[in-house]
Amino acid sequence: MKLILAQPRGFCAGVVRAIDIVERALAKHEAPVYVRHEIVHNRYVVENLKAKGARFVEELADVPAGATTIFSAHGVSRAVEADAASRRLNVLDATCPLVTKVHNQGQRYSDLGRTVILIGHAGHVEVEGTLGRISGPVHLVEDRDDVERLDLADDTPIAYVTQTTLSVDDTRATIEAIKGRFSDVIGPETRDICYATQNRQTAVRKLCQHVELLLVVGAANSSNSNRLREIGAECGIPSYLVADGRDIDSEWLAGKHTIGITAGASAPDVLVDDVIAALAKLEPIEIEALQGIEEKITFRLPPELLEVS
Ligand code: SF4
């Protein structure tokens, strides 16, 4: 069985920074350190940090007054920020700088007097954060049908922003629907939104030209991992999301000789290795890495953690 690995795959700079912030906070402050929401959407990462003394909460009400509290990579609303201040929490913000860029862009559009349309998935924590960062009118749409249903005059000045981890192609279709319906629309170039989302999606499309089956290593609640699986399916390749090697069903492999493997931006290499090891138990394997973009992007840590190692 030949395994072909997508390049790039796995951790992005925003995830590396978020995990680094929790680890450095644990080194600097006494455990426990509190983290609002899963720091990144991966159970293995969360359990690993729990074992080191991180406590994960969904509500700030569960954090003792004054405790060190980290906001996850997905970002938070202004209301959550204000709540943290009123509880006198010592906040470290692990919001990915690219999510912050979307927040800032949305607010700038709002300040220009435009109604903002956020393209994203209802209920996703990043979407809730972004909706809660824009002070003026803002509407969430998931797809073209939602655009048609918006209760707005067609000459309303509109600006759109998007969730960072959406399929670039799906976003394009929704943006076309917005531009088709409204007469005055501005927005950013979608390929600039998140380099990691763009690169992983491009790599998976390339990988699908060479494989008979696609395995995406990632968590069920990871938006970008789900998008990678969907792209595989759109390319006509049977595609499955697996948290680790235990999720592999040997029936998927029947008659397949070339298997593609990629990983979502929140999935660590150790889980990719686990998937490879599980496949190697079923059949002899050879591994090839597809040529692709080498990512060199890193994001700066909060200044108070720079001296901690
Ligand atoms: Fe940031 Fe993109 Fe990674 Fe999300 S996927 S954490 S936006 S770099």
Side-chain angles (χ1 to χ4, degrees), residues 139-305:
H139 299 265
L140 175 66
V141 299
E142 297 208 15
D143 52 28
R144 317 174 68 109
D145 292 344
D146 285 350
V147 174
E148 296 311 318
R149 280 194 287 268
L150 282 172
D151 187 15
L152 294 169
D154 292 352
D155 61 353
T156 308
I158 296 289
Y160 61 82
V161 291
T162 83
Q163 185 179 338
T164 54
T165 47
L166 288 185
S167 149
V168 175
D169 284 338
D170 286 350
T171 309
R172 193 176 297 127
T174 311
I175 292 167
E176 276 167 20
I178 293 170
K179 288 182 175 167
R181 175 166 168 202
F182 296 100
S183 54
D184 178 7
V185 178
I186 59 171
E189 178 60 50
T190 45
R191 65 179 57 247
D192 291 345
I193 292 166
C194 167
Y195 79 97
T197 297
Q198 174 74 35
N199 290 350
R200 278 152 194 69
Q201 291 181 5
T202 302
V204 121
R205 284 183 200 286
K206 186 172 165 195
L207 182 64
C208 285
Q209 294 168 13
H210 302 274
V211 299
E212 299 162 289
L213 174 77
L214 175 70
L215 299 178
V216 179
V217 184
N221 62 342
S222 160
S223 172
N224 75 87
S225 303
N226 279 293
R227 300 287 84 69
L228 293 176
R229 192 205 62 74
E230 286 169 8
I231 288 171
E234 280 164 27
C235 293
I237 306 294
S239 302
Y240 299 95
L241 187 63
V242 292
D244 57 31
R246 288 171 298 183
D247 282 353
I248 295 170
D249 182 338
S250 55
E251 283 187 13
W252 301 342
L253 306 171
K256 306 282 194 290
H257 305 290
T258 320
I259 316 296
I261 299 178
T262 187
S266 46
D269 280 349
V270 64
L271 296 180
V272 174
D273 294 343
D274 188 67
V275 165
I276 292 172
L279 291 169
K281 278 190 195 146
L282 299 171
E283 276 184 50
I285 57 166
E286 63 177 271
I287 302 176
E288 183 186 317
L290 213 59
Q291 294 253 311
I293 294 168
E294 293 281 339
E295 293 175 340
K296 299 207 169 86
I297 291 177
T298 56
F299 293 136
R300 258 190 303 178
L301 288 164
E304 62 267 47
L305 294 179

Side-chain angles (χ1 to χ4, degrees), residues 10-18 39-40 73-74 94-100 102 126 163-165 193-198 200 224 264-266 297 299:
F11 276 5
C12 60
V15 163
V16 169
R17 175 177 179 271
I39 185 74
V40 299
H74 315 94
T95 303
C96 176
L98 298 183
V99 174
T100 303
V102 173
E126 178 190 322
Q163 185 179 338
T164 54
T165 47
I193 292 166
C194 167
Y195 79 97
T197 297
Q198 174 74 35
R200 278 152 194 69
N224 75 87
S266 46
I297 291 177
F299 293 136

